[in-house]
Each structure stands twice: as structure tokens, then as C-alpha cells.
Amino acid sequence: QNSDSNAPTAENSAVDGNSGSEYETDNEEDEAEEVMPDPEPDHEPPHPGSPTDLRQWMVESIEKRHGLTSCPTLSVDFHEKLHPFFSNARIGILLVWLDPDGNPVISDSVPTKPVSELSYFLKTDGGTILPADDFDTKVLHGTVRGTHLDSMIASLEQVYAPLLEDGQSWPKSIQHEFMASMNRFMGVVNDVKTRSLTELYIPRESKVLMQTPPTSTKEGSNRNALDAVGVDTEFVQRMETVLIQWTRQIQEVLATLKGDATVFFPLDEIEFWEDRRTNMSGIGRQLEDKRVLRIVEFLQFNGSPYISTFESWCAKIQDG
């Protein structure tokens, strides 16, 4: 009986057998999990800001802003010439133009030969340019075209004038002297460019007057109109310089187009009166320009002594 009781039953043997099999299976699975390597991806995921992305970003930033007509698409290879402008804080200018064969040229120096179009990129505050930056805020850009006079006017109005308008780029004294000289120079250049037709130069900085309500009346003799428009006395002086130039232009027109001019043939006289009518009507239309009227109103409000002379010559234009 004892031997019978100690002998394993078939049922116990079956259970023990199954139990051993379960342990062995678990061990095999653990070993399989430890041995099997993790599957590798087919390719490495792109990393944002990789060199390839930065090269493409630099080229695209210039490509969509250069403004050159008939310019072929800039390839990624141009990034080598663009990289110093973006990464070097000491390089503040980038120029793009087309060579005689129509190929784009990128440089930080002006072309040695005349070109029909020139795109410029100027850093407003130096430093580097990164993808996270607002490109249009950190870089002033544009394109100049046409003759040398047109390019000169465009450069002054689109490059230098905006840099001075913020009041922080240059010292105040230099800013005033430069703006005053530029206004006088631009008036002379306009005279040369238009030749027979008189064009009154309206300075870019006068747009501050268009952003304020008209000053039609004075409230007390001590009221300072400059407080209303947020400008200083130097601005008044520059606007007076512009007004004096307008007065001189009108005087020259009236002196040149006198009715007793010497003519030799009937066709000459017809041409003379036609030129007179065209020029006089052109000046009349310019005197009705809202920007001209606002400058005159502003100087009237500030008691400029040059207003009376200007208005007397304007009356002669209206009288024909």
C-alpha cells in the first residue's frame, strides 16, 4: 500500500509534465525576445534645420523677393554666395543682377558695369538672419530699374529715406542734415528728369502729415501744432525748404512761358502755347494734390513766413 500511495498517479504525472512544458515555453519566449533585434527604419527621418533645408531656405528667401524680370530660377547651388549675408553679422548688403548673358549674379559689391535692373537687400540692424526671424522686418529689399536718374531717385527714396524714418538708425543731427539735403537734391533731380514739364517734389517724410487730421484752426496763440503731429522744429524747416523750392519752380515756369516770347513761324507759336498750356495745367493739378495741400496747411498753421509768397505765385498759375 505504501508503495502504491507513493507512486505517482497518471493524473499527477500529466500535471507535472504539462507544468514543465509551460516553464520551458516561457523561457524560450524570453530568450527569443532578448535575442531578436529591434527593426531598423528604412531611412533616417529628416531633421528640421538640417543643412539641406537651410540651403533651400536661403535661396527661396531671395528667390521670391529679388524682383528681377526674366531671371532664371535660382538653384540651391547659389547658397554658397548667399550664406555670408545670412550668417555674417558684418555683411549688411546683398545685391542681385543679371549679367549680359542673362545669368544671375549675387554679390555684396556694386556691379562694375551699368545694369538695367538691380535688386538690393539691406540688413536694418545687422546681426544674422535665421529661419525663425521675420525676414521682411530684418531686411530692407527692393529693385531699381531704368536710367541712372531713375535708379538714383529710387535708391534715395526706397533705401535711405526708410532707414532715416525710424529715427534710430542715425544720430538726430545727421538725420536732419541728410534729409534736408536729400529733399533739395531730389527737387533738382526731378527738374532734370522731367525737363520741359515741371514736377513738384513731395518728400517721402511728409507722409506723417497724411496720418493726422487737418489742423484747420488755432486754439490760442501759444498752441504748438507740432504736438498734434508728433514732429519737431527741424521737420518744419525741411518742409519750408520744400515750399521755397516749389515757389522757385513756379517762378521759373512763369518767366519761361511769357506770352511775349519771340516766335518766327506760326507753327512755332502754336507749339509755344501748347507747351504753356500743358505745363501750366500740370502744375495746377499738382497744387491740388492732397499731399501738397497738407504741407501748405501745416506750414500755415505754424506761421511760416514763406506761405504768402508761395500763395501769390500760385494765384498767378491759376490766372493762367
Side-chain angles (χ1 to χ4, degrees):
Q1 293 180 353
N2 293 334
S3 58
D4 294 337
S5 61
N6 294 330
T9 62
E11 182 178 357
N12 292 336
S13 299
V15 172
D16 292 340
N18 292 338
S19 176
S21 300
E22 290 179 357
Y23 292 142
E24 292 176 359
T25 303
D26 293 341
N27 291 335
E28 292 176 356
E29 292 178 353
D30 293 339
E31 292 178 359
E33 292 178 356
E34 294 176 359
V35 173
M36 292 181 59
D38 294 334
E40 296 183 358
D42 295 337
H43 60 277
E44 185 179 354
H47 185 274
S50 64
T52 302
D53 294 336
L54 289 176
R55 291 196 294 264
Q56 187 66 31
W57 168 75
M58 286 188 292
V59 173
E60 289 180 352
S61 298
I62 302 301
E63 171 75 30
K64 63 183 180 181
R65 293 179 176 89
H66 63 64
L68 298 177
T69 57
S70 304
C71 179
T73 303
L74 299 179
S75 65
V76 180
D77 296 335
F78 278 97
H79 81 276
E80 295 181 358
K81 297 182 178 180
L82 298 176
H83 183 265
F85 177 73
F86 284 83
S87 61
N88 193 335
R90 292 178 296 178
I91 298 179
I93 184 171
L94 179 74
L95 302 175
V96 185
W97 68 89
L98 300 180
D99 64 15
D101 297 329
N103 300 316
V105 179
I106 298 176
S107 175
D108 59 355
S109 303
V110 297
T112 57
K113 297 181 179 180
V115 294
S116 59
E117 294 179 313
L118 179 70
S119 291
Y120 58 86
F121 297 84
L122 301 173
K123 293 179 182 176
T124 58
D125 56 358
T128 59
I129 306 172
L130 301 175
D133 297 329
D134 186 348
F135 186 92
D136 295 321
T137 299
K138 299 198 68 173
V139 179
L140 178 68
H141 54 85
T143 303
V144 293
R145 300 181 175 87
T147 64
H148 62 285
L149 288 179
D150 293 331
S151 298
M152 185 183 302
I153 293 174
S155 298
L156 290 172
E157 289 186 335
Q158 299 178 18
V159 179
Y160 293 102
L163 290 176
L164 294 174
E165 284 178 356
D166 59 8
Q168 300 175 358
S169 301
W170 293 4
K172 192 69 175 178
S173 58
I174 297 179
Q175 180 185 14
H176 168 63
E177 292 297 331
F178 186 90
M179 293 297 291
S181 300
M182 187 179 72
N183 290 341
R184 290 192 295 268
F185 177 74
M186 293 293 289
V188 174
V189 172
N190 270 341
D191 283 346
V192 175
K193 185 184 72 170
T194 55
R195 296 181 182 273
S196 59
L197 296 178
T198 302
E199 181 177 339
L200 304 179
Y201 172 68
I202 302 175
R204 177 189 173 97
E205 62 173 336
S206 65
K207 69 179 183 180
V208 65
L209 301 177
M210 302 301 297
Q211 301 170 357
T212 59
T215 53
S216 56
T217 60
K218 288 186 178 181
E219 298 177 1
S221 57
N222 295 328
R223 179 183 174 187
N224 188 355
L226 302 181
D227 295 337
V229 297
V231 293
D232 51 24
T233 54
E234 293 178 342
F235 177 81
V236 176
Q237 294 174 4
R238 294 197 295 271
M239 293 301 101
E240 286 181 331
T241 302
V242 172
L243 188 75
I244 293 173
Q245 194 166 24
W246 291 349
T247 304
R248 178 190 59 79
Q249 288 179 278
I250 295 174
Q251 290 173 339
E252 291 179 354
V253 169
L254 293 175
T256 303
L257 300 179
K258 286 184 178 180
D260 57 354
T262 302
V263 292
F264 298 98
F265 301 101
L267 291 179
D268 294 335
E269 185 170 0
I270 294 175
E271 183 179 358
F272 166 79
W273 286 106
E274 181 66 23
D275 291 341
R276 177 187 174 93
R277 182 191 66 82
T278 302
N279 211 356
M280 297 283 281
S281 60
I283 294 177
R285 287 193 298 269
Q286 293 178 69
L287 293 176
E288 296 176 356
D289 189 295
K290 293 181 179 180
R291 297 169 297 174
V292 173
L293 295 176
R294 183 58 64 86
I295 292 175
V296 173
E297 179 192 37
F298 172 74
L299 293 177
Q300 284 177 331
F301 191 84
N302 288 275
S304 174
Y306 304 102
I307 286 293
S308 58
T309 304
F310 175 75
E311 291 181 336
S312 64
W313 285 101
C314 288
K316 295 179 180 180
I317 290 288
Q318 294 175 355
D319 293 340

